[in-house]
Amino acid sequence: EIVMTQSPATLSVSPGERATLSCRASQSIRNNLAWYQQKPGQAPRLLIYGAFTRASGIPARFSGSGSGTDFNLTISSLQSEDFAVYYCQQYNTWPPITFGPGTKVHI
Amino acid sequence: EVQLVESGGGLVQPGGSLRLSCTASGFTLSYYNMYWVRQVPGKGLEWIAYISSSSTTIFHADSVKGRFTVSRDNAKSSLYLQLNGLRAEDTAMYYCARDYRSSSGRAIDYWGQGTLVTVSS
């Protein structure tokens, strides 16, 4: 099973600042990684797939990078609606599909 | 508009059973592989089941294997999850979700709002 880790667990930022979230896989997953955003009381929302392709309707301030075992999600200028929990997920080697534990972005 | 609506959750005693349903609209369910993913309140996401579009390929997570069973009825635009032998640790929000594939990659592109299963005596 591929284990996903994320850092930091929590990230304190101010609106307008840049945020970089990290995700690491226990073995290479090539670029088979997705990122999701989840707000309280809501289902997750797909942001990025294929490590760097933005999903439909996702603002350009969200960008993904990385391949192999190390990945980043960057939010270039945080908006108030971006404060949420972010999960990475690998689909290179499954079952099982595995998610990271999440990074909470808060003010 | 793509919608996934789960139902069937509730309070059940340890050892009990539930059947969760997910009704799809706004797209043709038979074209898509589907997942069930759960989330303990305040915790992370856990994949628990996958079923291919024609039900020919089915996977369950080890944590639920032998107790939970995923199925679907494309004619009814519905996905199901049968939960047997429920344990306290199965308490979670259960989401049905759609598989997305493209030349650029794969992901879960739509999620329902979830149905809450609480296992307690």
Side-chain angles (χ1 to χ4, degrees):
Chain A
E1 173 177 330
I2 295 179
V3 177
M4 307 300 291
T5 56
Q6 291 184 241
S7 61
T10 60
L11 185 61
S12 182
V13 292
S14 299
E17 289 186 339
R18 180 186 185 94
T20 300
L21 289 64
S22 296
C23 174
R24 176 167 288 179
S26 59
Q27 63 190 75
S28 176
I29 58 170
R30 299 181 292 175
N31 67 339
N32 294 314
L33 183 98
W35 289 94
Y36 302 88
Q37 175 194 67
Q38 188 178 33
K39 298 179 181 179
Q42 296 185 16
R45 172 194 181 197
L46 176 63
L47 297 175
I48 301 284
Y49 62 96
F52 54 82
T53 302
R54 275 191 304 278
S56 176
I58 301 303
R61 64 180 181 273
F62 291 92
S63 63
S65 62
S67 66
T69 60
D70 293 298
F71 302 85
N72 288 328
L73 173 70
T74 300
I75 311 171
S76 60
S77 178
L78 270 151
Q79 307 297 303
S80 57
E81 62 265 30
D82 300 335
F83 293 95
V85 179
Y86 293 82
Y87 296 96
C88 61
Q89 173 229 330
Q90 71 83 22
Y91 50 88
N92 185 72
T93 303
W94 68 284
I97 291 167
T98 49
F99 293 88
T103 292
K104 183 177 181 178
V105 176
H106 65 94
I107 299 174
Chain B
E1 178 192 7
V2 171
Q3 282 197 313
L4 296 167
V5 179
E6 301 94 336
S7 60
L11 175 64
V12 61
Q13 292 188 337
S17 297
L18 280 176
R19 189 194 197 203
L20 308 184
S21 299
C22 171
T23 302
S25 61
F27 69 101
T28 303
L29 183 65
S30 62
Y31 293 169
Y32 290 87
N33 309 318
M34 298 293 292
Y35 303 97
W36 285 98
V37 176
R38 70 182 179 184
Q39 184 173 36
V40 174
K43 302 297 184 182
L45 300 164
E46 180 189 12
W47 166 80
I48 56 171
Y50 164 88
I51 184 166
S52 64
S53 58
S54 57
S55 304
T56 52
T57 300
I58 289 174
F59 298 122
H60 298 91
D62 287 347
S63 59
V64 305
K65 201 171 290 183
R67 300 187 300 123
F68 292 7
T69 304
V70 62
S71 63
R72 63 194 294 162
D73 185 337
N74 288 335
K76 294 183 178 179
S77 295
S78 294
L79 179 72
Y80 305 103
L81 187 67
Q82 179 68 39
L83 291 63
N84 296 331
L86 282 160
R87 306 167 180 167
E89 55 265 34
D90 295 319
T91 294
M93 184 71 78
Y94 285 73
Y95 295 102
C96 73
R98 192 177 82 167
D99 183 36
Y100 172 77
R101 288 193 187 188
S102 77
S103 58
S104 300
R106 188 172 188 175
I108 297 173
D109 66 344
Y110 282 95
W111 302 65
Q113 283 304 300
T115 187
L116 183 63
V117 173
T118 303
V119 184
S120 175
S121 55

